[in-house]
Amino acid sequence: MSTNVLYITYDGLLEPLGQSQVLRYLEKLSDSYTIYLISFEKARDWQNVLERQKIQEKVDAHQIHWIPLRYHKSPSALATTYDLFQGITVALFIAVTRRIKIVHARSYVPSVIALVLKKLLRTKFIFDMRGFWADERVDGGIWPVNSQLYHLAKWFEKQFLLNADHTVSLTEAAISEISKFEYLQNKKLNFSCIRTCTDLDIFSPENESVNNHKQTNNLVIGYIGSISNWYLFSDVLKFIYFLYSIDKDLVSKFIIVTRTDHQIVREIINQSKVNLLSIEITSSDYQGISDIIRQMNLGIFFRKPAYSNLACAPTRLGEFLACGIPCVTNDGVGDMTQIIEQEKVGVILRSFDESAMRKAAEEILELLQDEHLSQRCRAAAIKYFSLEEGVKDYQNIYQQLVNE
C-alpha cells in the first residue's frame, strides 16, 4: 500500500509557477505515493475554464487528488487568516479521513497548516521553505521591519525550523545562513538543497546536439517574468541600452514574456532609451515558454539586492540554461553567482553603476562568441536544475520519513 501524502501550496496550480514548480514534481512523485493536493487559486485564473479543464485532466491522469481552494488577497492580514482557516479545516478533514502520513508544505502559509496537523495528528512535516518569506516582504517594502506581522512571521519561521521533520531550501547559501541562527545551535538539522528544477524534456535547445551557437550580430534578448518591485526591469532596459550603444545593429529584438499588464510594460519602455528597438511583449502558458526562449540568444534579469535573496533561486535561470541560452544577472542572489561563473554560462553584474554595466555588456558579447557556450548552458542545467534529480531527492526525503 502506498503512503498518503498531503501537499499544500499557496500558489495556484493554474499559474505557470504552479505548473512548473508543483505539478511537474507531483506527476512523477505520484508514481510512488498517493498525493492529495491543496492549492489556493486566484479568481482570474479560475475563470479560465479551458485551462482548468486541462489541469484537471493532468491531475486525473496521474491520480492526484486535487482540492482547489479560493485565494483571497485583501485586506492582506484578514484575507490570509481566512485562507488559513479554510486550509486548516480542509487539511484536517483530509488528514483524518485519508490517513495522511506526510504533510509537504510549500512555503510559509501552508507550513502553518502543516504545523497544526503535526501538533494534532503527529503527521510528518516537510518545511519546503522556498525562501526567507518574512524578510522578502520587508525587503520588498510590503511590511515595515518592526511590524507585528513581521515579528509574527519570524516567530512562525522559528517554529517551522524547530518542528519540521525535514527542511528543504532552494540554495546552499540559505542553509549556511540558517545554520547560524542562534536557536538552532546544538540542534540536529535535517536539511536538503533542492533548487527550482526544470523539466529538461520541455526546456531543451532547438538542436538536440546542443551545438546551436547563435551569432551575436542578430541578438535576440529575452526577459521572462513579472515587472515588479523585486525584479529590476528598468535596470534591464539600461543594460540593453549599453549593448545597443556598443553597436546599434547588434540587438535585433527584445522579447518580454510576462503576465503583468502589457500597457504598463509598454509605458515603462517608452520612458527608456530602448524604445527604438523591435520589442515584442507577450504572455504564455507553461508549455509555450520554451518555444519562446528558443528564439532568444540571451536572457537578462536583475533582482533587487536584499538579505532575503540568499534563499532565492529564480526559476527562469534553469529554464534559460536548459534551452542553451546564457544569462546576465546580478550578484547576491542565492547560488547564482557561483553557478554562472563556475560553469561559464553568463555574466554577473557586480553593481548597477554605468561602468559595471558597460563592463558586463562587453563581457557577455565576448562570451557569446564562444561556440561551446550553448553546450555548457545545457550541461549546467542538467547538473543543477534537473527535474528528475529533484524528484529523486524528494523521494528520498519521503522514504526517510516513512521509515522513521
Side-chain angles (χ1 to χ4, degrees), residues 4-8 36 38 84-105 109-126 160 163 165:
N4 292 348
V5 176
L6 174 59
Y7 190 105
I8 310 172
Y36 294 83
I38 294 177
L84 279 170
F85 176 78
Q86 66 168 337
I88 290 170
T89 303
V90 172
L92 275 171
F93 177 79
I94 295 170
V96 171
T97 59
R98 297 296 181 264
R99 299 180 180 274
I100 297 296
K101 173 74 173 180
I102 298 169
V103 182
H104 186 162
V109 173
S111 290
V112 175
I113 301 171
L115 185 61
V116 171
L117 267 59
K118 180 177 176 63
K119 294 295 186 181
L120 293 179
L121 305 176
R122 296 186 178 180
T123 50
K124 297 295 184 180
F125 167 29
I126 298 174
F160 301 152
N163 287 278
D165 296 283

Side-chain angles (χ1 to χ4, degrees), residues 206 214 218-221 253 255 280 288-298 325:
E206 198 169 28
K214 300 178 181 180
N218 187 29
L219 193 59
V220 178
I221 298 172
K253 195 173 188 180
I255 302 176
E280 177 184 340
I289 292 174
S290 58
D291 291 331
I292 300 173
I293 292 178
R294 292 188 195 101
Q295 301 174 34
M296 305 170 184
N297 311 77
L298 175 65
I325 308 302

Side-chain angles (χ1 to χ4, degrees), residues 104 126-131 166-171 175 190-195 394 397:
H104 186 162
I126 298 174
F127 176 33
D128 202 339
M129 61 188 306
R130 316 308 296 178
H166 204 101
T167 298
V168 178
S169 168
L170 294 176
T171 71
I175 293 175
N190 294 316
F191 274 92
S192 295
C193 176
I194 305 176
R195 296 182 175 88
Y394 280 121
I397 294 169

Side-chain angles (χ1 to χ4, degrees), residues 55-290:
I55 296 300
Q56 189 66 59
E57 289 172 1
K58 287 184 178 181
V59 297
D60 289 346
H62 290 85
Q63 297 183 315
I64 297 170
H65 306 274
W66 180 32
I67 304 96
L69 303 179
R70 181 61 59 86
Y71 168 83
H72 298 87
K73 183 176 182 179
S74 62
S76 179
L78 288 176
T80 304
T81 301
Y82 181 83
D83 287 346
L84 279 170
F85 176 78
Q86 66 168 337
I88 290 170
T89 303
V90 172
L92 275 171
F93 177 79
I94 295 170
V96 171
T97 59
R98 297 296 181 264
R99 299 180 180 274
I100 297 296
K101 173 74 173 180
I102 298 169
V103 182
H104 186 162
R106 188 180 192 275
S107 194
Y108 284 49
V109 173
S111 290
V112 175
I113 301 171
L115 185 61
V116 171
L117 267 59
K118 180 177 176 63
K119 294 295 186 181
L120 293 179
L121 305 176
R122 296 186 178 180
T123 50
K124 297 295 184 180
F125 167 29
I126 298 174
F127 176 33
D128 202 339
M129 61 188 306
R130 316 308 296 178
F132 292 148
W133 182 72
D135 297 288
E136 284 177 0
R137 297 183 79 78
V138 169
D139 293 339
I142 300 171
W143 291 346
V145 67
N146 291 317
S147 68
Q148 290 183 341
L149 284 173
Y150 173 71
H151 289 297
L152 178 63
K154 291 298 285 185
W155 181 85
F156 269 113
E157 178 184 86
K158 178 178 179 180
Q159 304 312 309
F160 301 152
L161 290 168
L162 288 172
N163 287 278
D165 296 283
H166 204 101
T167 298
V168 178
S169 168
L170 294 176
T171 71
E172 295 288 356
I175 293 175
S176 177
E177 179 69 12
I178 291 168
S179 67
K180 300 173 188 174
F181 289 2
E182 186 175 349
Y183 60 82
L184 292 178
Q185 301 310 304
N186 302 317
K187 298 282 186 181
K188 182 183 177 182
L189 303 179
N190 294 316
F191 274 92
S192 295
C193 176
I194 305 176
R195 296 182 175 88
T196 48
C197 295
T198 300
D199 189 325
L200 300 176
D201 293 329
I202 295 176
F203 292 86
S204 60
E206 198 169 28
N207 181 343
E208 292 186 4
S209 67
V210 203
N211 287 319
N212 57 323
H213 176 60
K214 300 178 181 180
Q215 297 301 318
T216 58
N217 57 6
N218 187 29
L219 193 59
V220 178
I221 298 172
Y223 178 94
I224 298 175
S226 65
I227 313 296
S228 66
N229 289 337
W230 270 116
Y231 285 96
L232 305 176
F233 185 66
S234 293
D235 288 297
V236 170
L237 296 176
K238 290 178 185 176
F239 187 83
I240 293 174
Y241 176 73
F242 277 104
L243 291 172
Y244 183 72
S245 65
I246 292 173
D247 184 347
K248 289 182 172 56
D249 297 321
L250 181 67
V251 181
S252 65
K253 195 173 188 180
F254 180 30
I255 302 176
I256 303 158
V257 187
T258 183
R259 301 180 85 199
T260 302
D261 186 291
H262 291 182
Q263 183 58 39
I264 294 174
V265 179
R266 180 66 66 179
E267 289 172 1
I268 296 172
I269 293 172
N270 289 341
Q271 296 170 9
S272 73
K273 297 179 179 180
V274 301
N275 56 0
L276 297 178
L277 296 176
S278 173
I279 295 172
E280 177 184 340
I281 306 173
T282 187
S283 56
S284 173
D285 60 15
Y286 171 63
Q287 297 287 340
I289 292 174
S290 58

Side-chain angles (χ1 to χ4, degrees), residues 28-42:
K28 296 179 181 297
L29 288 168
S30 66
D31 292 339
S32 305
Y33 299 90
T34 301
I35 305 292
Y36 294 83
L37 167 61
I38 294 177
S39 66
F40 289 79
E41 304 297 332
K42 296 177 176 61

Side-chain angles (χ1 to χ4, degrees), residues 303-322:
R303 190 171 168 92
K304 178 182 176 181
Y307 166 77
S308 58
N309 278 342
L310 286 172
C312 177
T315 306
R316 63 200 72 180
L317 177 61
E319 293 175 348
F320 276 127
L321 295 179

Side-chain angles (χ1 to χ4, degrees), residues 312-381:
C312 177
T315 306
R316 63 200 72 180
L317 177 61
E319 293 175 348
F320 276 127
L321 295 179
C323 292
I325 308 302
C327 295
V328 176
T329 189
N330 59 301
D331 192 21
V333 181
D335 303 328
M336 286 203 306
T337 296
Q338 176 188 349
I339 293 171
I340 287 175
E341 293 191 335
Q342 182 173 305
E343 305 301 328
K344 299 179 181 178
V345 290
V347 169
I348 294 295
L349 185 68
R350 298 294 178 181
S351 70
F352 292 95
D353 59 60
E354 289 191 5
S355 62
M357 282 203 173
R358 186 175 297 279
K359 181 174 182 291
E362 292 170 351
E363 288 176 353
I364 193 61
L365 292 179
E366 181 179 354
L367 184 65
L368 285 167
Q369 300 292 337
D370 187 337
E371 63 181 14
H372 301 296
L373 178 57
S374 290
Q375 287 179 309
R376 290 203 304 274
C377 290
R378 180 68 178 177

